[in-house]
Amino acid sequence: MKLRHVIDSQQFTVPLLMELFDRSRQMERVASRGGTLDYQNKIMASLYYQPSTRTRFAFESAMHRLGGRVLSTEQARFFSSEIEGECLEDTIRIIEGFCDVIVLRHCEAGGAGRAAAVSNIPIINAGDGAGGQHPTQALLDLYTIFRERRSLDGLNIAIVGELDRGRTARSLAYLLSKFERVRLFLVSPPELQMKRDILEDLQMHHLWYAVETELHKLISMLDVVYLTQIRPGRMADSQRRKYAIDAEVLKSMKPDAIILHPLPRTIELDKSVDNDPRALYFRQATNGLYVRMALLTMLLEPS
């Protein structure tokens, strides 16, 4: 199934997700032997208008593992012609002449869609704005769950933290809405709860969900806990800790539960959790390499 761009989670059907996950498993084997030269004639442009470490390095490593080459800029908002007023669309039209695929992190929600509307080469959304989307993060999150649990059937999954502006949380919720037997708990302070557009999508797809304000009362029944940051400026530390996992909280969790986090973390995920076998967030980050390798092959293969 040919991909044109990767802009949002909604574009992925369940068959396309399964194809991506099969290919991601293949990429694990490719990476384990040091990579391939299959894409040595391809160039990826890494265009970031906001800082990034994990996502940028994962994509650039993915392209190198495939044998391709990388053009990279970070803080493009200040080090490109946009500082002199050039619009995003013109920047894309210029850069597409230098490469075969563009990975774009933009400061405005919808930026990736604007880029894709004018681009003749694939655009990959590496995160756009506050309250936008981060589809490749959600894809690697879902892949990690499938990799560990083999299925979503009957799982109780909580997405926890700053949900109104959290693009990783929003993108993952969209993906989960494509599956039928998931029970989804959206856990956050009321003022930071998931926006109406996501809730309406969950309702439209008949996904069972509950809006909750307390993590600890749910923790013993959860199969997957997906933690995200609540930024310090939005809530006092004493309140943020109510949505945290530490060694004490671990005692109440199922023995086969898994803990995920898109990282970076602050006080919501204590370092005492790191050595627990249920803590999969570093493995989750590594899975991002394989998923992004798979996406690149799907975008760059001939029609």
Side-chain angles (χ1 to χ4, degrees):
M1 201 176 298
K2 177 66 176 174
L3 272 177
R4 182 73 183 92
H5 304 285
V6 176
I7 303 303
D8 53 46
S9 293
Q10 296 95 305
Q11 72 187 87
F12 285 86
T13 62
V14 172
L16 186 56
L17 287 169
M18 295 304 106
E19 179 184 345
L20 173 66
F21 293 167
D22 287 343
R23 198 174 294 215
S24 298
R25 292 296 295 269
Q26 297 172 28
M27 292 302 110
E28 290 189 41
R29 295 189 287 273
V30 170
S32 70
R33 64 173 187 259
T36 179
L37 295 177
D38 288 352
Y39 294 85
Q40 61 184 325
N41 295 323
K42 299 296 184 180
I43 297 173
M44 181 186 83
S46 186
L47 181 62
Y48 284 72
Y49 287 81
Q50 292 179 319
S52 172
T53 303
R54 283 157 298 277
T55 302
R56 184 165 65 91
F57 277 19
F59 266 116
E60 293 183 7
S61 177
M63 194 61 181
H64 285 300
R65 291 291 188 192
L66 292 171
R69 290 163 287 177
V70 175
L71 305 174
S72 183
T73 183
E74 193 168 26
Q75 292 284 34
R77 191 175 184 180
F78 304 105
F79 297 104
S80 77
S81 295
E82 285 205 17
I83 200 169
E84 297 177 356
E86 182 174 78
C87 67
L88 173 64
E89 287 81 355
D90 285 358
T91 300
I92 295 298
R93 287 185 176 105
I94 296 299
I95 291 176
E96 71 176 12
F98 307 148
C99 59
D100 302 286
V101 58
I102 298 172
V103 178
L104 172 68
R105 172 166 288 188
H106 202 258
C107 45
E108 297 177 7
R114 287 171 52 200
V118 300
S119 180
N120 293 307
I121 64 172
I123 300 291
I124 302 177
N125 181 2
D128 59 345
Q133 283 210 45
H134 195 345
T136 68
Q137 176 68 50
L139 291 168
L140 73 91
D141 298 336
L142 196 66
Y143 177 67
T144 302
I145 297 171
F146 267 89
R147 190 81 169 77
E148 297 301 317
R149 300 301 297 258
R150 310 297 180 192
S151 171
L152 288 177
D153 286 355
L155 293 186
N156 292 320
I157 301 176
I159 303 179
V160 185
E162 186 178 316
L163 305 186
D164 61 336
R165 299 182 187 174
R167 55 195 178 198
T168 63
R170 289 171 54 80
S171 292
L172 181 58
Y174 273 126
L175 286 183
L176 291 174
S177 73
K178 299 176 183 297
F179 297 87
E180 294 180 357
R181 287 174 290 278
V182 177
R183 287 165 52 89
L184 177 61
F185 298 87
L186 301 169
V187 187
S188 78
E191 63 270 32
L192 306 182
Q193 189 50 256
M194 195 69 82
K195 290 182 179 178
R196 194 75 224 161
D197 59 334
I198 301 290
L199 301 182
E200 289 173 353
D201 186 79
L202 298 178
Q203 292 166 7
M204 182 177 69
H205 288 90
H206 307 292
L207 183 76
W208 188 97
Y209 76 91
V211 173
E212 300 285 351
T213 59
E214 297 181 34
L215 174 61
H216 293 179
K217 77 175 186 180
L218 302 170
I219 200 72
S220 63
M221 64 181 290
L222 296 174
D223 301 295
V224 180
V225 182
Y226 186 84
L227 287 174
T228 67
Q229 279 193 43
I230 297 177
R231 285 172 291 175
R234 301 200 74 190
M235 183 165 286
D237 285 358
S238 60
Q239 293 297 109
R240 293 166 67 209
R241 287 193 176 91
K242 295 179 180 179
Y243 301 90
I245 291 181
D246 57 19
E248 189 62 30
V249 175
L250 284 176
K251 297 175 184 178
S252 300
M253 293 185 67
K254 288 183 175 183
D256 62 346
I258 62 177
I259 303 167
L260 303 178
H261 194 302
L263 303 174
R265 63 175 163 186
T266 55
I267 62 174
E268 74 280 352
L269 183 55
D270 192 81
K271 291 182 180 179
S272 64
V273 179
D274 292 355
N275 293 325
D276 191 282
R278 293 167 289 188
L280 298 187
Y281 30 89
F282 295 121
R283 191 182 312 170
Q284 173 189 358
T286 302
N287 285 340
L289 170 65
Y290 312 133
V291 170
R292 286 165 174 134
M293 288 174 68
L295 282 171
L296 286 167
T297 66
M298 293 171 76
L299 288 164
L300 291 172
E301 65 187 6
S303 300

